[in-house]
Structures are given as C-alpha cells and as structure tokens.
Amino acid sequence: MRFTFLGHSCVLIETASARLVIDPFLTGNPQAALRAEDLRCTHVLVTHGHEDHIGDALAVSRANQAPIIANHEIAEYLAAQGATTHGMNPGGAHRFAFGRVKLTPAIHSSSIQENGRAIYLGEPCGIVIEADGKRLYHAGDTALFSDLRLVARGGLDLAVLPIGDNYTMGPEDALEALDLLTPRLTVPVHYDTWPVIAADADAFARAAATRGHAVRPLAPGESIDL
Ligand code: NI
Ligand code: MN
C-alpha cells in the first residue's frame, strides 16, 4: 500500500485494487502537489464540508467516475449536483470492494458557504480505512478528545493528524492524541498551508519521538510505502 501526501489535508492511498483520495482540495491549495485534473482515483472520501476538504470532490468524482464516500449530508448535497455518493455517519462502517471504511466522530464543524450563507453539511468525521491488512486513520480537522482511544481499537498502522492549530488541534494537543492513538506511524497534515496554521512539523516529530511515537512529515507529493 502506498500513501501520498498531496498537500494540506489531501492524501492518496493506493491499495491493491483502488486509489482512494481523501479531502481532495487541490484547486486554490498553495501546497497542492498536482492539479485536480491530473488526479486519478477510484473513490473520493471527504471528512467534512469545509472548502479546504470538499474542494475538488465533485470535479474529481466526475472526471474519474469515482463515487464519493462521506457523511449523509455531504453525500446528499453532492448527489443533488449529480455525483454518485455513498452516505454514512459516525460510528458506521461499510465494506467496499477495496476494504472497510468507518466514519468516526471528530470535534469540529461542517458547512459550506454559498451566496454568503452557511449550508450545514452534517457531522464532521474522521475516517478509518482497513485495506490490504492495514488500518489507517485520517483524523479530519478534529480537536483533541479522549475518545480517540476508541478510534485506536485494533491498532493503527498509520494516523494522519492535523497539527496546524487555530482550526484544529495544534502540536501540543496532537502529542496527546498520539498517546491515545498509539499508531505505528503518523503523518502530520493541515499546517503551513497559510500563515495562520504555520507549525514546525520537525519539532513536532522530535517531541513525539521522546514520547515513543514515530512521526514522519512529508513534503507535498512525497509518498511512503506501508
Ligand atoms: Ni474544517
Ligand atoms: Mn480544514
């Protein structure tokens, strides 16, 4: 299984049978490792409705004939625009051809601005993916909360955690999240995209190492094999 960081909170997971993109925000993303038009995937997964996560979901889904997996409200919102969707909700899991997806709670918000109004887009989520014998967790934009301990059940091979602060957990809380999640490896995301979420990922990795956690910051476009 290959994991690629595409910038901000967007990642690509290549399994034996699928190419899963999570939070495809590339257009307007200063960190984007490629153009949305060049992204090839079989499924699009979205953690919540904010523009820096839902971003190119509709366009990428259309261009690749890739279904969108997201919470019920996002699924209905995008289905109304012509997308093929699979709606879920936190706590629910579903087995797809490539593996199992479970939505988990996240403490955050979820809406999109249209014509100056916020449209509610359901509960923000994290996503746990089980495929090819690995279990991965993308935390979305969550705050630290103690039930991350529940997300860790069964063990995590990889955690994708925000560290940029302001809108999400920052580095200090992310260290505590690692204590609860105890993943084999963590990739920090959602930082340095804009000045307000600047963070020192290398310092975070060093601090995590002193607590026994492996953290590997990736440059946009960089991949690791799991
Ligand atoms: Ni958000
Ligand atoms: Mn965000």
Side-chain angles (χ1 to χ4, degrees):
M1 178 182 295
R2 173 160 281 204
F3 174 93
T4 304
F5 177 51
L6 295 179
H8 193 55
S9 202
C10 181
V11 306
L12 177 69
I13 297 158
E14 295 168 74
T15 74
S17 65
R19 290 169 65 86
L20 317 174
V21 65
I22 302 179
D23 287 355
F25 165 58
L26 297 167
T27 305
N29 176 353
Q31 289 186 343
L34 79 175
R35 300 185 312 161
E37 307 90 274
D38 297 328
L39 180 58
R40 293 289 160 263
C41 63
T42 60
H43 299 76
V44 176
L45 297 88
V46 179
T47 60
H48 65 290
H50 291 153
E51 189 60 34
D52 58 319
H53 299 261
I54 204 170
D56 296 301
L58 191 59
V60 167
S61 167
R62 275 187 184 146
N64 292 274
Q65 295 184 302
I68 297 168
I69 301 165
N71 76 30
H72 171 72
E73 283 77 9
I74 291 173
E76 292 297 299
Y77 171 76
L78 295 174
Q81 298 174 61
T84 300
T85 63
H86 181 106
M88 302 177 66
N89 245 327
H94 183 77
R95 190 165 290 284
F96 295 86
F98 62 82
R100 186 172 183 260
V101 173
K102 184 172 186 177
L103 295 189
T104 67
I107 296 186
H108 190 59
S109 62
S110 179
S111 63
I112 197 164
Q113 297 289 324
E114 273 190 10
N115 305 317
R117 288 192 165 189
I119 297 173
Y120 168 69
L121 284 181
E123 290 298 296
C125 296
I127 300 173
V128 173
I129 296 171
E130 293 174 23
D132 301 354
K134 307 282 186 189
R135 188 180 290 112
L136 283 62
Y137 170 54
H138 189 301
D141 272 3
T142 193
L144 171 67
F145 61 109
S146 59
D147 281 353
L148 289 174
R149 197 185 299 278
L150 298 177
V151 175
R153 286 173 297 172
L156 297 172
D157 295 290
L158 179 73
V160 179
L161 271 194
I163 65 162
D165 222 338
N166 194 80
Y167 302 111
T168 69
M169 65 174 86
E172 287 175 22
D173 281 0
L175 286 177
E176 292 197 41
L178 289 182
D179 290 343
L180 299 171
L181 293 166
T182 62
R184 290 184 59 197
L185 182 65
T186 296
V187 171
V189 298
H190 214 278
Y191 67 96
D192 283 356
T193 319
W194 301 285
V196 70
I197 55 170
D200 187 338
D202 292 326
F204 173 66
R206 287 192 298 273
T210 66
R211 293 161 86 127
H213 305 299
V215 170
R216 171 91 188 269
L218 297 179
E222 194 174 355
S223 299
I224 49 173
D225 289 313
L226 299 172

